[in-house]
């Protein structure tokens, strides 16, 4: 997307192209050209933002690649990147500088969430706490965006943090939470009960879970997986490894899980395993909860593996409903 001519009084020429490519002069010319191009793009973004965003939609991939490869100019290139944001309508883009300008003084992080689409990002359990606390999140949809965020790590003295990290602590207990706990019928596991449930979960599924702990970040979801590589990044790495080695990629290692002690599924699972009456059903439900969390995180390699279990759970539910209906009919 750039054409031009470089005028140099002392440009070494050689029949072999490798020699001039290695000269100090050409390296110097490269550095000067890169700085001038970045300065030009930055001026364009400031003076003609709409025209720049249209250009970025077509050529932004090269800037993202530059962030991952050109560490000397990484900070300048990062200024030229644009992403969707949770505070803006779909399709609208914002720069990292604009994101930082909207941050509250006490916010020292830039949050981002990787998802296949905006719809899935907004429905993600990882987004719940940010939405509840009115905290802006950058939405990224491509594997290259994960590389960009991991390579940047910080921007404008603010740490770049994935919304799927285990270190997200935005919530404080609100009056609504206290009122909800006081309402009749609302049950929440105690710290001791939740710890007991977590120990049982890791014992029953040691190949899938390495650690289970409680969290306050969830509201409408029973559990999430944390500290994992993003689904898009994992799929890309699997594809590269398969192409280079021709062998199948190793399965998913045991994961860290956070559970919502106030969710009916976790409360019911605790009661079921505590009663010890139907361990097979309890394990089936546990496996489904874990697989649901893996699917939400985007790291389940093949969701077809849980189809038979889902059918089994549906069968159990139908049997229970049929028995209730037949019992009610018999009473009449």
């Amino acid at each position: 997307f750039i054409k031009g001519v470089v005028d140099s009084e002392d440009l070494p020429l050689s029949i072999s192209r490798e020699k001039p490519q290695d000269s100090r002069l050409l390296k110097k010319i490269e550095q000067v050209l890169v700085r001038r191009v970045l300065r030009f793009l930055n001026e364009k973004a400031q003076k003609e933002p709409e025209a720049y965003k249209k250009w970025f939609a077509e050529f932004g991939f090269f800037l993202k690649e530059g962030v991952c490869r050109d560490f000397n100019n990484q900070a300048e290139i990062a200024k030229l990147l644009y992403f969707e944001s949770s505070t803006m309508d779909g399709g609208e883009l914002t720069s990292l500088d604009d994101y930082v300008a909207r941050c509250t003084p006490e916010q020292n992080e830039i949050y981002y969430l990787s998802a296949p689409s905006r719809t899935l990002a907004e429905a993600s359990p990882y987004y719940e706490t940010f939405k509840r606390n009115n905290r802006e999140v950058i939405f990224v949809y491509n594997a290259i965006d994960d590389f960009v965020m991991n390579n940047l790590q910080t921007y404008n003295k603010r740490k770049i943090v994935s919304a799927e990290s285990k270190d997200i602590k935005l919530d404080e207990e609100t009056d609504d939470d206290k009122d909800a706990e006081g309402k009749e019928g609302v049950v929440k596991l105690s710290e001791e009960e939740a710890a007991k449930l977590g120990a049982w979960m890791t014992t029953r599924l040691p190949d899938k879970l390495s650690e289970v702990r409680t969290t306050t970040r969830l509201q409408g979801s029973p559990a999430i997986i944390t500290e994992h590589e993003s689904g898009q990044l994992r799929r890309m790495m699997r594809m590269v490894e398969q192409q280079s080695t021709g062998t199948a990629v190793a399965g998913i290692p045991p994961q860290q899980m956070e559970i919502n002690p106030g969710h009916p599924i976790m409360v019911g699972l605790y009661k079921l395993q505590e009663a010890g009456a139907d361990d097979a059903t309890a394990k089936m439900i546990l496996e489904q909860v874990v697989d649901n969390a893996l699917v939400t995180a985007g790291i389940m390699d093949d969701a077809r593996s849980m189809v038979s279990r889902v059918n089994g759970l549906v069968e159990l539910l139908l049997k229970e409903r049929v028995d209730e209906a037949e019992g009610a009919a018999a009473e009449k």
Side-chain angles (χ1 to χ4, degrees):
F1 52 83
I2 291 179
K3 297 179 181 179
V5 176
V6 177
D7 182 15
S8 174
E9 295 180 358
D10 184 21
L11 185 62
L13 297 176
S14 173
I15 296 176
S16 172
R17 294 181 58 194
E18 295 179 1
K19 291 182 180 179
Q21 288 173 350
D22 293 336
S23 75
R24 292 183 179 180
L25 179 60
L26 288 179
K27 281 290 182 183
K28 183 66 176 179
I29 291 175
E30 178 188 358
Q31 294 171 2
V32 172
L33 289 177
V34 169
R35 286 198 296 269
R36 289 192 178 185
V37 170
L38 292 179
R39 186 165 62 247
F40 168 78
L41 291 175
N42 189 49
E43 291 173 357
K44 199 78 170 176
Q46 299 297 323
K47 297 178 180 179
E48 303 177 50
E50 295 306 317
Y52 175 80
K53 290 177 183 178
K54 185 177 179 180
W55 174 89
F56 181 81
E58 185 174 357
F59 297 106
F61 177 85
F62 296 101
L63 294 179
K64 294 175 182 180
E65 183 182 1
V67 168
C68 302
R69 298 181 60 180
D70 187 354
F71 298 106
N72 292 328
N73 297 293
Q74 189 180 70
E76 293 302 314
I77 299 174
K79 293 180 180 180
L80 301 170
L81 300 180
Y82 279 73
F83 304 95
E84 285 198 19
S85 164
S86 60
T87 61
M88 306 175 74
D89 294 332
E92 294 186 18
L93 301 177
T94 184
S95 67
L96 293 176
D97 281 331
D98 290 339
Y99 177 100
V100 171
R102 292 190 293 268
C103 288
T104 56
E106 66 273 9
Q107 181 178 334
N108 297 316
E109 300 84 11
I110 295 174
Y111 298 106
Y112 75 95
L113 175 60
S114 177
S117 67
R118 185 183 183 91
T119 301
L120 293 177
E122 291 177 334
S124 171
Y126 298 101
Y127 179 57
E128 286 184 9
T129 185
F130 296 95
K131 184 177 181 179
R132 191 163 59 249
N133 289 275
N134 296 317
R135 196 66 60 90
E136 183 175 1
V137 180
I138 289 174
F139 292 151
V140 299
Y141 309 125
N142 301 308
I144 184 66
D145 294 325
D146 282 312
F147 278 112
V148 168
M149 296 303 183
N150 287 322
N151 275 275
L152 274 179
Q153 296 186 354
T154 60
Y155 183 81
N156 201 359
K157 299 182 180 180
R158 282 176 166 80
K159 187 177 180 181
I160 297 177
V161 180
S162 170
E164 301 174 23
S165 169
K166 68 177 181 180
D167 298 322
I168 303 297
K169 296 179 181 179
L170 303 180
D171 282 316
E172 295 182 0
E173 191 174 41
T174 63
D175 292 337
D176 291 339
D177 295 329
K178 295 177 181 178
D179 292 342
E181 290 181 25
K183 290 180 180 178
E184 185 178 355
V186 176
V187 181
K188 182 178 180 180
L189 297 178
S190 65
E191 291 185 10
E192 182 179 352
E193 291 171 335
K196 190 173 182 180
L197 175 62
W200 175 80
M201 292 169 67
T202 53
T203 301
R204 298 300 291 166
L205 295 179
D207 58 329
K208 288 190 174 183
L209 298 175
S210 62
E211 181 184 358
V212 177
R213 55 182 176 272
T214 59
T215 182
T216 59
R217 65 190 288 184
L218 297 175
Q219 192 170 39
S221 304
I224 55 173
I225 300 295
T226 59
E227 294 304 302
H228 61 276
E229 60 191 9
S230 77
Q232 297 182 76
L233 191 58
R234 175 173 170 78
R235 283 191 293 273
M236 188 175 72
M237 293 176 66
R238 286 177 66 238
M239 181 181 67
V240 172
E241 187 171 344
Q242 285 177 337
Q243 289 177 345
S244 60
T245 64
T247 59
V249 181
I252 303 172
Q255 301 290 315
Q256 299 179 32
M257 172 173 273
E258 294 184 355
I259 62 174
N260 178 2
H263 197 279
I265 290 179
M266 305 315 298
V267 174
L269 186 59
Y270 171 78
K271 292 180 178 180
L272 187 60
Q273 65 86 24
E274 190 70 8
D278 193 353
D279 187 61
T281 301
K283 185 179 179 182
M284 187 185 300
I285 295 173
L286 170 60
E287 289 177 329
Q288 192 58 49
V289 169
V290 173
D291 281 355
N292 288 349
L294 291 173
V295 170
T296 301
I299 58 175
M300 172 165 273
D301 292 332
D302 190 353
R304 291 175 294 183
S305 61
M306 64 181 182
V307 171
S308 61
R309 188 191 319 118
V310 172
N311 290 336
L313 291 171
V314 172
E315 185 179 342
L316 286 174
L317 180 61
L318 285 174
K319 185 178 183 302
E320 180 181 340
R321 291 292 181 265
V322 169
D323 290 343
E324 290 178 357
E326 289 178 348
E331 292 179 0
K332 293 181 180 179

